[in-house]
Each structure stands twice: as structure tokens, then as C-alpha cells.
């Protein structure tokens, strides 16, 4: 017995359903593009752009303090695109949160931080450039014609030194910087140092931050792998990242892997972009490139500012747990900014926030009418879909008036069951 053929849908209804489905697909594809507006293409590699490298410290071979860069990153850097910061900015830009940067200082001449920078006395200058670079990853303001912007461009930055004039960190200076940032009211503090030894003063500073509900973010390993290996085992713990309640971060590159020869941490809570990432300079509108876990920690600190602004009910510990639990699965979970902001956690998770009263959506600056276009497109799609559905319904009603014979003939013809040539003569 030949197999029974599958019964196709009725012709009139099939055309209506197919047309409506096509409309939905087209609208779904066009909607996000219209809402988001044109998006720059991925940035070229830093080597093609010839971006200067930001220094980690200065020594006798350095030519004085950091100079301005002549190269501007006009396309969106890979790290911003990977983290989906354009979408995250619709929910939070970090406004209302102050992020402390414990590093080489942050330059008051950095235009991208203008009006949002305060600091400990003497920490508003940066001869090395590293602290300014980190602060830019966290909160650089967007500018017309520039692809680079910080993770939390609405956040304020508080600068505190954790190094000497050459950029060399010490436990005592890092401890003083942490305490200064906590006492200044920071909710998140990014510490760029990864120290091989803990001290009583550093441990006390970390406890001071925890007692004041401040989230500390620090690199799990130093940026300089050769320095890290001096006197260290193949994997080791570094401070303050290894201390309790500190969110420890490791870096990865554009291909998702860690750079060759990278120092392996004993443990890390999150991974974030940190290899060949782009940042601002101490002055001017040009940009630099840098690599290291301290820059990955800056991305996580910026994301923490977004989360603390969007979920003010969360404690520092809950914020850290939420970011870790919403990360992309990997040996070390990878930062998912949008997941940390809007992801729904299991009911038993410690970081589950109170039910949100609606969704807070920020204004979109310089969208060139993108929001209006999105609304108009949604209305047009809805009207088109209803029109197609109504047309399909009218056709079915008209077909029904022809009686069962008409319907049977139409269905039989659609199935290919009508009389074949020569078959009637054989009857």
C-alpha cells in the first residue's frame, strides 16, 4: 500500500497564514535594527590603527610622562561589541554610582571624564597613564564620531593612588587608596594591583570595604606575567583579589582565549575582555591600547556600577553573586553585562532581587529618530498583519458560500487528486 500523503492546509487559509508569518518575520528582523539605528562595524586591530601602548609603569628608559595619542578610535572596539554595551545602556548607564579607581591616578585633563572626576588630594594627575586608561574603560563619555565609550558613562569616578610615582604598587598604598575610596562614598572600587603578599593593613582595608557594603574588584593575576613569575609557583594567589568578598577577574582576548604565556591564576570569579583593549589617554582625544587583567577588572567594575544603579536593592555581595551566576558558562564564567542587568535568577539564588516595578528605560542620546522609527515600524507591521488576516478570513467566507462541492473540488485540485488526462475514457 503506498504511503498516505500528508494533507496540506487549505489554500485560502494557508496563504493568509504564510503571509502573516512572513510579515512577522520581516518585522522581527527589521525591528531591532530600526530601534538600535546604524551600528559601526567592528574595529580594526590595534596594530592596523597604530595605537600607542599604554604603560604599566615608567622607568629610566621612559621618555617622561605619558603623552597624548594622535590616533582616534572611530569604530566600536571589539570589547564593547562583545559585551553588548549598546543594549545595556538602554537599562542603565551607572548614574548615581561612584566608582573608585585605585591605580596610578586619573588625569583631570581627560575630556571623556570631564565633570565626573573627583579624588584624593594629588590623585588627579597621572604621569603613567594606566589609571586614566582604567577609568576610561569604566566611565568614558560617548562622543560624536568616536566609537569608544565606557561601560558606565553616567557613573562618577573617584581617584586614589595605589602606586608610587613610577607606577609600582605597594600593599600600604593600595590599602590607603581603598580606604579613601570607601570613605568617599564609592559603591564599587577597582583595584589594579595584584600583589604577591597580603598584609595586615591590606586585609583590614578589604574588611573596611566589606563592612561599608562596597564591592571591590581586582585582577586575579598581575598584568606583567614575567614579574608575576618571580619567586612564584605555576599558579598562585594575589591580593587583594584572593581576599574574601573581592571579585577577582582574569582577562581574555578577541578570540576568547587568554594570551600566550599568560600567568594562570589559582582561582578567579569572572573573565572579561583584557587583551588588546582600547582606552583613553591622559589628555587629548586620542586612544591607546593595553593588555592585562587589570583592564578586565575595569570592565567588570563598570558592569558592577550598571548593576548597582539598576538594582539598588542589592548588596555588594549580592551584586557579585549575580554577576558571577549570570556569566557565560566556561572554566571561569565570562562577564555577561545584559544578563547581570536583566537576567532572572532561580528563586533560591542569594542574589535574587525584589520584584521590579516595571522596567526603567533610559533616554537614548543622539538616536537620530531611531525610537520614533521603531514605533512607526511596529504600528505599520501590526496594521499589515491585521489586514492580511482579514483578507484571508473574507476569502474563506466567500469559499464557504460555494457549498461543499466547491470546497471539495478546490481541495482535491490542491492535493493533485483531480482527473488525469485519458483517465475518463478508460471509465
Amino acid at each position: 500500500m503506498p504511503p498516505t500523503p500528508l494533507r496540506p492546509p487549505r489554500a485560502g487559509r494557508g496563504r493568509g497564514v504564510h503571509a502573516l508569518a512572513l510579515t512577522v518575520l520581516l518585522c522581527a528582523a527589521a525591528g531591532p535594527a530600526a530601534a538600535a539605528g546604524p551600528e559601526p562595524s567592528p574595529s580594526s586591530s590595534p596594530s592596523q590603527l597604530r595605537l600607542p601602548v599604554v604603560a604599566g609603569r615608567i622607568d629610566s628608559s621612559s621618555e617622561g610622562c605619558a603623552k597624548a595619542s594622535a590616533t582616534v578610535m572611530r569604530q566600536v572596539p571589539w570589547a564593547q561589541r562583545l559585551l553588548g554595551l549598546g543594549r545595556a545602556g538602554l537599562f542603565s548607564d551607572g548614574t548615581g554610582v561612584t566608582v573608585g579607581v585605585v591605580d596610578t591616578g586619573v588625569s583631570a585633563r581627560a575630556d571623556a571624564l570631564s565633570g565626573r572626576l573627583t579624588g584624593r588630594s594629588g590623585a588627579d594627575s597621572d604621569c603613567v597613564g594606566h589609571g586614566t586608561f582604567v577609568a576610561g574603560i569604566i566611565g568614558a563619555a560617548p562622543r560624536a564620531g568616536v566609537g569608544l565609550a565606557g561601560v558606565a558613562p553616567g557613573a562618577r569616578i573617584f581617584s586614589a593612588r595605589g602606586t608610587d610615582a613610577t607606577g609600582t604598587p605597594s600593599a600600604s598604598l593600595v590599602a590607603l587608596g581603598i580606604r579613601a575610596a570607601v570613605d568617599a562614598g564609592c559603591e564599587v572600587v577597582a583595584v589594579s594591583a595584584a600583589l604577591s603578599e597580603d598584609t595586615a593593613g591590606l586585609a583590614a582595608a578589604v574588611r573596611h570595604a566589606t563592612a561599608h557594603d562596597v564591592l571591590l574588584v581586582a585582577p586575579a593575576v598581575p598584568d606583567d606575567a614575567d614579574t608575576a613569575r618571580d619567586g612564584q609557583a605555576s599558579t598562585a594567589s594575589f591580593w587583594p583579589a584572593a581576599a574574601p568578598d573581592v571579585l577577582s577577574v582574569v582577562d581574555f582576548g578577541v578570540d576568547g582565549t587568554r594570551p600566550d604565556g599568560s600567568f594562570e591564576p589559582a582561582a578567579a570569579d569572572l573573565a572579561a575582555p583584557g587583551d588588546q583593549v582600547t582606552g583613553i589617554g591622559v589628555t587629548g582625544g586620542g586612544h591607546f591600547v593595553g593588555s592585562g587583567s587589570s583592564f578586565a577588572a575595569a570592565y567588570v567594575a563598570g558592569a558592577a556600577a550598571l548593576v548597582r544603579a539598576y538594582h539598588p536593592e542589592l548588596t555588594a555581595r549580592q551584586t557579585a553573586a549575580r554577576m558571577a551566576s549570570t556569566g557565560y558558562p566556561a572554566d571561569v564564567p565570562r562577564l555577561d553585562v545584559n544578563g547581570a542587568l536583566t537576567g532572572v535568577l532561580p528563586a533560591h539564588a542569594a542574589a535574587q532581587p525584589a520584584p521590579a516595578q516595571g522596567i526603567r528605560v533610559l533616554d537614548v542620546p543622539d538616536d537620530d529618530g531611531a525610537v520614533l522609527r521603531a514605533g512607526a515600524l511596529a504600528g505599520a507591521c501590526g496594521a499589515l498583519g491585521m489586514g492580511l488576516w482579514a483578507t484571508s478570513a473574507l476569502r474563506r467566507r466567500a469559499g464557504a458560500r460555494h457549498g461543499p462541492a466547491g470546497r471539495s473540488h478546490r481541495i482535491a485540485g490542491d492535493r493533485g487528486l483531480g482527473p488525469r488526462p485519458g483517465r475518463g475514457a478508460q471509465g
Side-chain angles (χ1 to χ4, degrees), residues 36-142:
E39 187 174 347
S41 60
S43 60
S44 302
S45 70
S47 60
Q48 292 174 323
L49 288 174
R50 299 183 184 278
L51 291 176
V53 178
V54 64
R57 64 186 67 185
I58 56 177
D59 52 32
S60 58
S61 64
S62 302
E63 298 180 359
C65 292
K67 306 296 191 299
S69 168
T71 307
V72 176
M73 174 66 83
R74 301 199 180 278
Q75 294 175 306
V76 178
W78 73 267
Q80 285 181 228
R81 293 178 60 85
L82 179 70
L83 296 176
L85 298 185
R87 297 181 184 89
L90 296 175
F91 299 97
S92 175
D93 66 355
T95 297
V97 174
T98 301
V99 182
V101 176
V102 180
D103 204 306
T104 59
V106 178
S107 175
R109 297 183 295 161
D111 292 341
L113 303 173
S114 179
R116 293 180 293 120
L117 175 64
T118 58
R120 197 178 180 201
S121 177
D124 58 352
S125 62
D126 182 12
C127 182
V128 180
H130 193 280
T132 305
F133 190 101
V134 165
I137 289 176
I138 295 170

Side-chain angles (χ1 to χ4, degrees), residues 264-286:
E264 292 298 325
D269 298 311
L270 274 175
D275 183 37
Q276 298 287 295
V277 295
T278 311
I280 64 174
V282 295
T283 188

Side-chain angles (χ1 to χ4, degrees), residues 37-312:
E39 187 174 347
S41 60
S43 60
S44 302
S45 70
S47 60
Q48 292 174 323
L49 288 174
R50 299 183 184 278
L51 291 176
V53 178
V54 64
R57 64 186 67 185
I58 56 177
D59 52 32
S60 58
S61 64
S62 302
E63 298 180 359
C65 292
K67 306 296 191 299
S69 168
T71 307
V72 176
M73 174 66 83
R74 301 199 180 278
Q75 294 175 306
V76 178
W78 73 267
Q80 285 181 228
R81 293 178 60 85
L82 179 70
L83 296 176
L85 298 185
R87 297 181 184 89
L90 296 175
F91 299 97
S92 175
D93 66 355
T95 297
V97 174
T98 301
V99 182
V101 176
V102 180
D103 204 306
T104 59
V106 178
S107 175
R109 297 183 295 161
D111 292 341
L113 303 173
S114 179
R116 293 180 293 120
L117 175 64
T118 58
R120 197 178 180 201
S121 177
D124 58 352
S125 62
D126 182 12
C127 182
V128 180
H130 193 280
T132 305
F133 190 101
V134 165
I137 289 176
I138 295 170
R143 292 186 295 153
V146 177
L148 175 70
V151 180
R156 297 185 63 84
I157 302 295
F158 179 89
S159 174
R161 290 192 189 279
T163 72
D164 62 15
T166 69
T168 302
S170 68
S172 59
L173 290 175
V174 170
L176 289 174
I178 291 174
R179 285 185 174 273
V182 171
D183 294 342
C186 296
E187 293 184 58
V188 179
V189 176
V191 180
S192 293
L195 303 168
S196 59
E197 293 182 357
D198 194 12
T199 66
L202 182 58
V206 171
R207 291 195 299 271
H208 181 66
T210 302
H212 286 79
D213 193 33
V214 176
L215 176 58
L216 293 182
V217 184
V221 293
D223 292 347
D224 188 342
D226 293 333
T227 300
R229 288 192 178 94
D230 290 344
Q232 299 291 338
S234 59
T235 58
S237 296
F238 292 90
W239 281 266
D245 296 318
V246 177
L247 195 56
S248 62
V249 184
V250 73
D251 59 314
F252 63 82
V254 66
D255 62 353
T257 64
R258 300 203 62 219
D260 292 339
S262 297
F263 192 80
E264 292 298 325
D269 298 311
L270 274 175
D275 183 37
Q276 298 287 295
V277 295
T278 311
I280 64 174
V282 295
T283 188
H287 298 108
F288 291 76
V289 64
S291 298
S293 290
S294 63
F295 303 133
Y299 277 106
V300 172
L306 297 182
V307 174
R308 299 214 76 175
Y310 192 65
H311 294 289

Side-chain angles (χ1 to χ4, degrees), residues 33-34 36-40 367-368 370 373:
E39 187 174 347
D367 67 345
D368 296 325
R373 291 196 303 273

